[in-house]
mmCIF file of all heavy atoms in Angstrom:
data_model
loop_
_atom_site.group_PDB
_atom_site.id
_atom_site.type_symbol
_atom_site.label_atom_id
_atom_site.label_comp_id
_atom_site.label_asym_id
_atom_site.label_seq_id
_atom_site.Cartn_x
_atom_site.Cartn_y
_atom_site.Cartn_z
ATOM 1 N N LEU A 74 72.318 55.464 190.700
ATOM 2 C CA LEU A 74 72.773 54.903 191.982
ATOM 3 C C LEU A 74 72.790 55.975 193.068
ATOM 4 O O LEU A 74 72.281 55.754 194.178
ATOM 5 C CB LEU A 74 74.156 54.277 191.827
ATOM 6 C CG LEU A 74 74.788 53.722 193.105
ATOM 7 C CD1 LEU A 74 73.969 52.558 193.646
ATOM 8 C CD2 LEU A 74 76.210 53.303 192.851
ATOM 9 N N VAL A 75 73.334 57.132 192.766
ATOM 10 C CA VAL A 75 73.405 58.213 193.755
ATOM 11 C C VAL A 75 72.009 58.700 194.124
ATOM 12 O O VAL A 75 71.722 58.937 195.307
ATOM 13 C CB VAL A 75 74.293 59.368 193.226
ATOM 14 C CG1 VAL A 75 74.141 60.612 194.068
ATOM 15 C CG2 VAL A 75 75.741 58.930 193.182
ATOM 16 N N CYS A 76 71.126 58.828 193.139
ATOM 17 C CA CYS A 76 69.752 59.273 193.439
ATOM 18 C C CYS A 76 69.034 58.288 194.343
ATOM 19 O O CYS A 76 68.323 58.686 195.274
ATOM 20 C CB CYS A 76 68.970 59.475 192.151
ATOM 21 S SG CYS A 76 69.437 60.938 191.240
ATOM 22 N N ARG A 77 69.230 57.015 194.083
ATOM 23 C CA ARG A 77 68.574 56.013 194.942
ATOM 24 C C ARG A 77 69.153 56.030 196.349
ATOM 25 O O ARG A 77 68.412 55.916 197.325
ATOM 26 C CB ARG A 77 68.684 54.638 194.321
ATOM 27 C CG ARG A 77 67.855 54.577 193.065
ATOM 28 C CD ARG A 77 67.470 53.237 192.582
ATOM 29 N NE ARG A 77 67.182 52.210 193.516
ATOM 30 C CZ ARG A 77 65.944 51.860 193.902
ATOM 31 N NH1 ARG A 77 64.904 52.519 193.453
ATOM 32 N NH2 ARG A 77 65.776 50.844 194.712
ATOM 33 N N LEU A 78 70.453 56.184 196.463
ATOM 34 C CA LEU A 78 71.057 56.249 197.794
ATOM 35 C C LEU A 78 70.636 57.514 198.529
ATOM 36 O O LEU A 78 70.399 57.488 199.748
ATOM 37 C CB LEU A 78 72.580 56.153 197.699
ATOM 38 C CG LEU A 78 73.132 54.805 197.224
ATOM 39 C CD1 LEU A 78 74.644 54.872 197.097
ATOM 40 C CD2 LEU A 78 72.721 53.681 198.133
ATOM 41 N N LEU A 79 70.520 58.627 197.808
ATOM 42 C CA LEU A 79 70.038 59.864 198.440
ATOM 43 C C LEU A 79 68.579 59.732 198.880
ATOM 44 O O LEU A 79 68.194 60.262 199.931
ATOM 45 C CB LEU A 79 70.191 61.045 197.486
ATOM 46 C CG LEU A 79 71.606 61.582 197.314
ATOM 47 C CD1 LEU A 79 71.642 62.658 196.251
ATOM 48 C CD2 LEU A 79 72.155 62.094 198.621
ATOM 49 N N ARG A 80 67.794 59.028 198.092
ATOM 50 C CA ARG A 80 66.407 58.794 198.490
ATOM 51 C C ARG A 80 66.334 57.989 199.784
ATOM 52 O O ARG A 80 65.543 58.281 200.676
ATOM 53 C CB ARG A 80 65.641 58.080 197.389
ATOM 54 C CG ARG A 80 64.133 58.058 197.647
ATOM 55 C CD ARG A 80 63.431 57.232 196.645
ATOM 56 N NE ARG A 80 63.481 55.855 197.145
ATOM 57 C CZ ARG A 80 63.056 54.817 196.480
ATOM 58 N NH1 ARG A 80 62.579 54.960 195.267
ATOM 59 N NH2 ARG A 80 63.108 53.619 197.003
ATOM 60 N N PHE A 81 67.187 56.970 199.883
ATOM 61 C CA PHE A 81 67.222 56.190 201.122
ATOM 62 C C PHE A 81 67.661 57.055 202.292
ATOM 63 O O PHE A 81 67.167 56.912 203.400
ATOM 64 C CB PHE A 81 68.163 54.988 200.989
ATOM 65 C CG PHE A 81 67.674 53.933 200.047
ATOM 66 C CD1 PHE A 81 68.567 53.123 199.390
ATOM 67 C CD2 PHE A 81 66.321 53.747 199.810
ATOM 68 C CE1 PHE A 81 68.138 52.140 198.530
ATOM 69 C CE2 PHE A 81 65.876 52.767 198.936
ATOM 70 C CZ PHE A 81 66.779 51.962 198.297
ATOM 71 N N HIS A 82 68.597 57.959 202.035
ATOM 72 C CA HIS A 82 69.073 58.846 203.098
ATOM 73 C C HIS A 82 67.966 59.803 203.540
ATOM 74 O O HIS A 82 67.799 60.039 204.741
ATOM 75 C CB HIS A 82 70.296 59.625 202.625
ATOM 76 C CG HIS A 82 70.856 60.547 203.657
ATOM 77 N ND1 HIS A 82 71.504 60.080 204.779
ATOM 78 C CD2 HIS A 82 70.840 61.894 203.738
ATOM 79 C CE1 HIS A 82 71.865 61.127 205.514
ATOM 80 N NE2 HIS A 82 71.476 62.237 204.905
ATOM 81 N N CYS A 83 67.226 60.357 202.586
ATOM 82 C CA CYS A 83 66.130 61.288 202.930
ATOM 83 C C CYS A 83 65.002 60.575 203.671
ATOM 84 O O CYS A 83 64.358 61.167 204.535
ATOM 85 C CB CYS A 83 65.589 61.949 201.671
ATOM 86 S SG CYS A 83 66.734 63.113 200.940
ATOM 87 N N GLU A 84 64.758 59.319 203.325
ATOM 88 C CA GLU A 84 63.715 58.555 204.001
ATOM 89 C C GLU A 84 64.205 57.928 205.302
ATOM 90 O O GLU A 84 63.442 57.245 205.970
ATOM 91 C CB GLU A 84 63.178 57.466 203.073
ATOM 92 C CG GLU A 84 62.451 58.006 201.860
ATOM 93 C CD GLU A 84 62.028 56.921 200.894
ATOM 94 O OE1 GLU A 84 62.332 55.733 201.145
ATOM 95 O OE2 GLU A 84 61.397 57.261 199.884
ATOM 96 N N LYS A 85 65.474 58.122 205.615
ATOM 97 C CA LYS A 85 66.104 57.600 206.822
ATOM 98 C C LYS A 85 65.916 56.078 206.944
ATOM 99 O O LYS A 85 65.452 55.559 207.950
ATOM 100 C CB LYS A 85 65.561 58.312 208.056
ATOM 101 C CG LYS A 85 65.808 59.812 208.030
ATOM 102 C CD LYS A 85 65.739 60.406 209.388
ATOM 103 C CE LYS A 85 65.864 61.906 209.383
ATOM 104 N NZ LYS A 85 66.816 62.512 208.542
ATOM 105 N N LYS A 86 66.299 55.403 205.888
ATOM 106 C CA LYS A 86 66.205 53.943 205.844
ATOM 107 C C LYS A 86 67.352 53.324 206.628
ATOM 108 O O LYS A 86 68.371 53.954 206.899
ATOM 109 C CB LYS A 86 66.262 53.450 204.391
ATOM 110 C CG LYS A 86 65.132 53.927 203.530
ATOM 111 C CD LYS A 86 63.906 53.118 203.782
ATOM 112 C CE LYS A 86 62.828 53.501 202.772
ATOM 113 N NZ LYS A 86 61.657 52.686 202.873
ATOM 114 N N ALA A 87 67.191 52.050 206.932
ATOM 115 C CA ALA A 87 68.216 51.313 207.664
ATOM 116 C C ALA A 87 69.398 51.021 206.736
ATOM 117 O O ALA A 87 69.316 51.146 205.518
ATOM 118 C CB ALA A 87 67.644 50.004 208.198
ATOM 119 N N ALA A 88 70.500 50.609 207.328
ATOM 120 C CA ALA A 88 71.728 50.341 206.564
ATOM 121 C C ALA A 88 71.542 49.186 205.588
ATOM 122 O O ALA A 88 72.218 49.121 204.555
ATOM 123 C CB ALA A 88 72.882 50.045 207.511
ATOM 124 N N GLY A 89 70.630 48.294 205.871
ATOM 125 C CA GLY A 89 70.384 47.165 204.971
ATOM 126 C C GLY A 89 69.921 47.594 203.601
ATOM 127 O O GLY A 89 70.222 46.944 202.599
ATOM 128 N N PHE A 90 69.182 48.696 203.511
ATOM 129 C CA PHE A 90 68.731 49.187 202.215
ATOM 130 C C PHE A 90 69.910 49.661 201.368
ATOM 131 O O PHE A 90 69.949 49.440 200.160
ATOM 132 C CB PHE A 90 67.722 50.336 202.394
ATOM 133 C CG PHE A 90 66.378 49.879 202.850
ATOM 134 C CD1 PHE A 90 66.049 49.870 204.187
ATOM 135 C CD2 PHE A 90 65.441 49.448 201.930
ATOM 136 C CE1 PHE A 90 64.809 49.450 204.605
ATOM 137 C CE2 PHE A 90 64.194 49.027 202.329
ATOM 138 C CZ PHE A 90 63.874 49.020 203.684
ATOM 139 N N TYR A 91 70.864 50.300 201.998
ATOM 140 C CA TYR A 91 72.060 50.749 201.273
ATOM 141 C C TYR A 91 72.858 49.541 200.761
ATOM 142 O O TYR A 91 73.322 49.540 199.625
ATOM 143 C CB TYR A 91 72.956 51.593 202.181
ATOM 144 C CG TYR A 91 72.342 52.899 202.612
ATOM 145 C CD1 TYR A 91 71.721 53.024 203.854
ATOM 146 C CD2 TYR A 91 72.392 54.012 201.788
ATOM 147 C CE1 TYR A 91 71.162 54.224 204.255
ATOM 148 C CE2 TYR A 91 71.835 55.216 202.177
ATOM 149 C CZ TYR A 91 71.217 55.314 203.409
ATOM 150 O OH TYR A 91 70.675 56.499 203.795
ATOM 151 N N ILE A 92 72.995 48.556 201.615
ATOM 152 C CA ILE A 92 73.756 47.358 201.244
ATOM 153 C C ILE A 92 73.055 46.623 200.103
ATOM 154 O O ILE A 92 73.700 46.193 199.144
ATOM 155 C CB ILE A 92 73.958 46.457 202.472
ATOM 156 C CG1 ILE A 92 74.869 47.165 203.478
ATOM 157 C CG2 ILE A 92 74.529 45.109 202.069
ATOM 158 C CD1 ILE A 92 74.952 46.492 204.822
ATOM 159 N N MET A 93 71.723 46.488 200.186
ATOM 160 C CA MET A 93 70.986 45.809 199.116
ATOM 161 C C MET A 93 71.099 46.575 197.792
ATOM 162 O O MET A 93 71.209 45.963 196.734
ATOM 163 C CB MET A 93 69.511 45.652 199.507
ATOM 164 C CG MET A 93 69.268 44.600 200.560
ATOM 165 S SD MET A 93 69.825 42.970 200.058
ATOM 166 C CE MET A 93 68.626 42.592 198.822
ATOM 167 N N GLU A 94 71.078 47.894 197.875
ATOM 168 C CA GLU A 94 71.199 48.686 196.645
ATOM 169 C C GLU A 94 72.588 48.528 196.033
ATOM 170 O O GLU A 94 72.727 48.410 194.810
ATOM 171 C CB GLU A 94 70.907 50.157 196.928
ATOM 172 C CG GLU A 94 70.819 51.009 195.705
ATOM 173 C CD GLU A 94 69.660 50.618 194.803
ATOM 174 O OE1 GLU A 94 68.662 50.068 195.286
ATOM 175 O OE2 GLU A 94 69.765 50.881 193.589
ATOM 176 N N LEU A 95 73.611 48.519 196.844
ATOM 177 C CA LEU A 95 74.967 48.314 196.326
ATOM 178 C C LEU A 95 75.129 46.907 195.766
ATOM 179 O O LEU A 95 75.807 46.707 194.754
ATOM 180 C CB LEU A 95 75.994 48.598 197.416
ATOM 181 C CG LEU A 95 76.088 50.078 197.823
ATOM 182 C CD1 LEU A 95 77.044 50.237 198.997
ATOM 183 C CD2 LEU A 95 76.516 50.938 196.660
ATOM 184 N N LEU A 96 74.482 45.919 196.404
ATOM 185 C CA LEU A 96 74.514 44.558 195.862
ATOM 186 C C LEU A 96 73.792 44.490 194.523
ATOM 187 O O LEU A 96 74.260 43.828 193.598
ATOM 188 C CB LEU A 96 73.884 43.572 196.846
ATOM 189 C CG LEU A 96 74.763 43.126 198.001
ATOM 190 C CD1 LEU A 96 73.975 42.252 198.959
ATOM 191 C CD2 LEU A 96 75.975 42.385 197.484
ATOM 192 N N ARG A 97 72.644 45.165 194.427
ATOM 193 C CA ARG A 97 71.939 45.224 193.149
ATOM 194 C C ARG A 97 72.837 45.826 192.069
ATOM 195 O O ARG A 97 72.879 45.347 190.944
ATOM 196 C CB ARG A 97 70.690 46.093 193.262
ATOM 197 C CG ARG A 97 69.488 45.391 193.722
ATOM 198 C CD ARG A 97 68.262 46.280 193.545
ATOM 199 N NE ARG A 97 67.187 45.774 194.359
ATOM 200 C CZ ARG A 97 66.775 46.323 195.486
ATOM 201 N NH1 ARG A 97 67.325 47.417 195.933
ATOM 202 N NH2 ARG A 97 65.798 45.774 196.164
ATOM 203 N N CYS A 98 73.533 46.873 192.416
ATOM 204 C CA CYS A 98 74.413 47.553 191.474
ATOM 205 C C CYS A 98 75.532 46.617 190.998
ATOM 206 O O CYS A 98 75.769 46.482 189.804
ATOM 207 C CB CYS A 98 74.988 48.796 192.134
ATOM 208 S SG CYS A 98 76.118 49.731 191.122
#
Side-chain angles (χ1 to χ4, degrees):
L74 177 64
V75 167
C76 286
R77 292 200 35 98
L78 293 177
L79 284 175
R80 191 186 86 186
F81 291 152
H82 181 70
C83 290
E84 294 175 358
K85 300 201 185 318
K86 298 281 187 175
F90 286 94
Y91 294 98
I92 293 170
M93 287 301 289
E94 188 64 26
L95 291 175
L96 280 175
R97 273 191 198 105
C98 179

